[in-house]
Amino acid sequence: MRKGRFTKPAAEITQRYSESVSFDQRLYRYDIAGSVAHAEALSRVGIITLAERRKIENGLHAIEKEIESGKFKWECSLEDVHMNIEAALTKRIGPGGAKLHTARSRNDQVALDVRLYVKAEIAEVSSRLRNCQRAVLDLTEKHLDVVMPGYTHLQRAQPILFAHYMLGQMEAFERDVERLRDCLVRTDVLPLGSAALAGSTIVLDRELIARQLDFARVSQNSIDAVSDRDFVCEFLFCLAMIGLHLSRLSEDLIIWNTTEFGFVEFSDAFSTGSSLMPQKKNPDITELTRGKTGRLYGNLMSILTTMKALPSSYNRDLQEDKEALFDSVDTVRSALEMFAAMLPELKINRERMQAAASDPNLLATDLAEYLVKRGMPFRRAHMIIGSLVADCVIRGIALNQIPFAELKKRSSLFDVDVAKIFDVRRSLLQRRAIGGPSPKNIAAQIKRWKAKL
Ligand code: ARG
């Protein structure tokens, strides 16, 4: 590459500073697929002969095998994955290899490789999300009738079913899958043929290349095509959101796993010990996931910041997209794998959950709604029940221990049937509007998810 324009090689320190092959070598498969398609397009316009095209293809496939077997020698001095493979090809097949880079620049080549990589990873991450959803659904089905308190502000609020909580996680993961599908629409665009920034005087059939590489569309502006990393930003956002969801789930499980709550217990296989305190069993997997989510946000910030003041078309800054991208992919892949393995072994302590949910105060809203159903405006009912709760606190009794006569004094709308308000399961049965935690709704949701997964 430097033979024409330069009089001496790049300094050692320059090579080390600017190389990307140490990390972009993971794109080799996409680089080779792109070159095979490019060679076909070149042969169609007579830049290379059919024989040369075959030689290029065979050479590239041999190089692919060599890389896969670990025998390929990556050279830092050749900067990146593109130059390494091209140099190896020319060494293998001679002059034919030297024709491959016609009407192509590393600027459109790297954009192509990264798009192919992101497309593949969208599929992989989606499939791991599905595995996670399957694990959530299995856990839900195994504990269908477990009642627990639902919380707001981390204060006991109203009774729910554990299944209802878990199905909430399903929704979040589903949005993640949808977001990835949407990100794919803008990733699925072929940039190859844009060359450095202005296309080429050698006119290739880009539609053909797109078909060969399974792209849905062809980029419509060569300057934009080599500049555009929106799809990387979007994908990193998708991954950051997955992290956010896993982190919130982690936080709930960490709290529920405390001795104070005792709602769940992590399997020994997914817990760690303390080097000092012999009794400790720590929820490090969920803590790590919460922590790694910070890295995912950092990677998103990093690409957004890299992009914000770049002049149009290609600038070398764009090389900085890859480490953040790869790191987020690796992080989310492993986190999803962990959760799919860990959730089925999560022990659910139904007695502890049920005991916590049997606090009659959790049905204070139901009590207010009892009065509403008998004609009282909600605000007034809210006030009456609120003052009853305050009374109970002073007297050290539960809301369901107030003598009926006293209730009657607060409102003549109270009737003897008020006692049944304090039946948690009855309360759940009634919460049957779409989205509510009634057992009937939950059964319908499970049916819906099963059909989907
Ligand atoms: N390693 C480079 C990157 O990742 C490839 C493109 C280099 N192009 C250039 N004109 N120097 O972006």
Side-chain angles (χ1 to χ4, degrees):
M1 175 176 73
R2 298 173 63 92
K3 275 188 195 137
R5 174 72 175 79
F6 296 86
T7 51
K8 55 179 180 180
E12 248 277 302
I13 186 173
T14 305
Q15 291 183 16
R16 264 187 285 123
Y17 192 68
S18 61
E19 68 84 23
S20 56
V21 67
S22 55
F23 51 86
D24 68 13
Q25 54 179 265
R26 79 155 81 183
L27 297 173
Y28 76 87
R29 198 178 300 132
Y30 309 111
D31 200 69
I32 287 170
S35 289
V36 168
H38 188 64
E40 180 179 354
L42 288 175
S43 78
R44 296 247 176 159
V45 293
I47 297 292
I48 57 173
T49 64
L50 214 59
E52 283 171 326
R53 179 184 152 199
R54 291 280 167 251
K55 267 190 160 177
I56 289 174
E57 269 180 33
N58 293 339
L60 286 170
H61 287 132
I63 290 168
E64 188 165 22
K65 284 217 181 76
E66 208 179 308
I67 296 172
E68 251 139 41
S69 70
K71 285 195 206 106
F72 189 86
K73 255 194 75 156
W74 297 101
E75 296 284 357
C76 223
S77 59
L78 290 169
E79 263 187 44
D80 52 33
V81 62
H82 325 293
M83 296 300 290
N84 267 267
I85 291 175
E86 191 189 319
L89 180 70
T90 307
K91 207 168 136 200
R92 239 171 215 277
I93 69 163
K99 291 184 178 176
L100 180 61
H101 211 55
T102 311
R104 181 175 80 171
S105 154
R106 281 183 296 161
N107 300 353
D108 58 343
Q109 194 177 358
V110 71
L112 170 74
D113 292 8
V114 176
R115 280 181 187 268
L116 286 170
Y117 170 79
V118 171
K119 278 181 67 176
E121 290 304 331
I122 285 174
E124 180 60 31
V125 172
S126 301
S127 123
R128 285 176 191 228
L129 276 165
R130 288 287 186 231
N131 288 343
C132 228
Q133 283 184 309
R134 272 182 214 107
V136 169
L137 197 59
D138 277 1
L139 191 65
T140 306
E141 281 198 279
K142 275 199 203 112
H143 305 279
L144 266 187
D145 63 335
V146 177
V147 175
M148 70 179 294
Y151 293 81
T152 64
H153 314 270
L154 219 49
Q155 306 284 314
R156 280 182 195 166
Q158 291 180 313
I160 56 167
L161 285 165
F162 170 69
H164 194 56
Y165 170 84
M166 290 311 279
L167 289 174
Q169 306 303 311
M170 295 293 282
E171 297 291 336
F173 289 139
E174 190 62 23
R175 288 194 295 278
D176 292 332
V177 172
E178 284 170 12
R179 226 183 318 275
L180 287 170
R181 203 179 295 148
D182 188 50
C183 174
L184 177 64
V185 174
R186 279 168 301 283
T187 306
D188 204 3
V189 182
L190 174 87
L192 199 69
S194 305
L197 82 160
S200 170
T201 59
I202 294 156
V203 180
L204 300 182
D205 183 353
R206 299 187 64 217
E207 304 276 358
L208 169 90
I209 301 175
R211 277 197 301 280
Q212 296 300 8
L213 293 172
D214 197 23
F215 276 100
R217 290 180 290 157
V218 171
S219 64
Q220 299 294 309
N221 181 292
S222 59
I223 302 173
D224 178 56
V226 296
S227 309
D228 176 17
R229 294 294 182 276
D230 292 9
F231 67 102
V232 177
C233 300
E234 284 187 40
F235 187 45
L236 285 176
F237 175 73
C238 293
L239 296 175
M241 280 301 284
I242 295 170
L244 184 153
H245 290 148
L246 289 175
S247 185
R248 288 188 74 175
L249 172 58
S250 292
E251 177 66 2
D252 281 335
L253 295 178
I254 289 165
I255 293 169
W256 294 352
N257 182 61
T258 57
T259 310
E260 284 74 9
F261 272 75
F263 287 0
V264 301
E265 190 185 333
F266 290 105
S267 152
D268 282 3
F270 300 102
S271 305
T272 50
S274 157
S275 57
L276 187 142
M277 299 165 282
Q279 87 284 9
K280 289 298 286 293
K281 180 172 147 182
N282 296 325
D284 289 24
I285 298 302
T286 37
E287 288 173 348
L288 278 167
T289 306
R290 200 175 53 186
K292 284 172 190 290
T293 300
R295 278 225 330 266
L296 297 174
Y297 295 178
N299 290 337
L300 172 61
M301 270 305 146
S302 152
I303 180 72
L304 289 173
T305 311
T306 297
M307 298 305 295
K308 75 175 268 292
L310 283 189
S312 57
S313 107
Y314 184 85
N315 300 270
R316 191 63 179 273
D317 315 45
L318 290 174
Q319 180 167 298
E320 290 296 314
D321 63 352
K322 279 177 259 336
E323 282 159 295
L325 172 63
F326 297 158
D327 181 60
S328 283
V329 167
D330 293 344
T331 302
V332 168
R333 265 173 172 248
S334 57
L336 287 170
E337 196 181 0
M338 275 309 309
F339 271 72
M342 181 177 72
L343 288 175
E345 290 195 32
L346 189 69
K347 200 180 141 221
I348 307 302
N349 193 340
R350 76 163 52 224
E351 286 73 31
R352 289 285 299 218
M353 285 190 177
Q354 242 142 251
S358 67
D359 175 355
N361 275 355
L362 302 194
L363 294 165
T365 313
D366 293 52
L367 199 56
E369 285 170 0
Y370 170 92
L371 294 175
V372 168
K373 284 174 190 163
R374 279 162 179 71
M376 187 182 286
F378 179 72
R379 272 291 150 248
R380 187 168 155 68
H382 185 278
M383 193 267 292
I384 289 176
I385 308 301
S387 76
L388 280 173
V389 171
D391 236 34
C392 288
V393 172
I394 293 165
R395 291 158 70 182
I397 61 168
L399 195 55
N400 60 344
Q401 289 172 331
I402 304 169
F404 179 68
E406 283 181 40
L407 289 180
K408 200 78 188 162
K409 256 188 262 161
R410 303 282 181 122
S411 166
S412 59
L413 295 175
F414 280 116
D415 210 337
V416 277
D417 65 352
V418 67
K420 63 180 193 267
I421 289 299
F422 294 99
D423 179 343
V424 171
R425 300 221 176 246
R426 184 176 169 278
S427 164
L428 287 169
L429 274 172
Q430 292 184 341
R431 300 176 174 277
R432 59 178 190 278
I434 298 169
S438 77
K440 216 173 137 195
N441 269 348
I442 284 170
Q445 293 296 325
I446 287 175
K447 207 171 139 200
R448 179 172 72 86
W449 285 117
K450 278 189 145 172
K452 190 158 203 159
L453 292 180

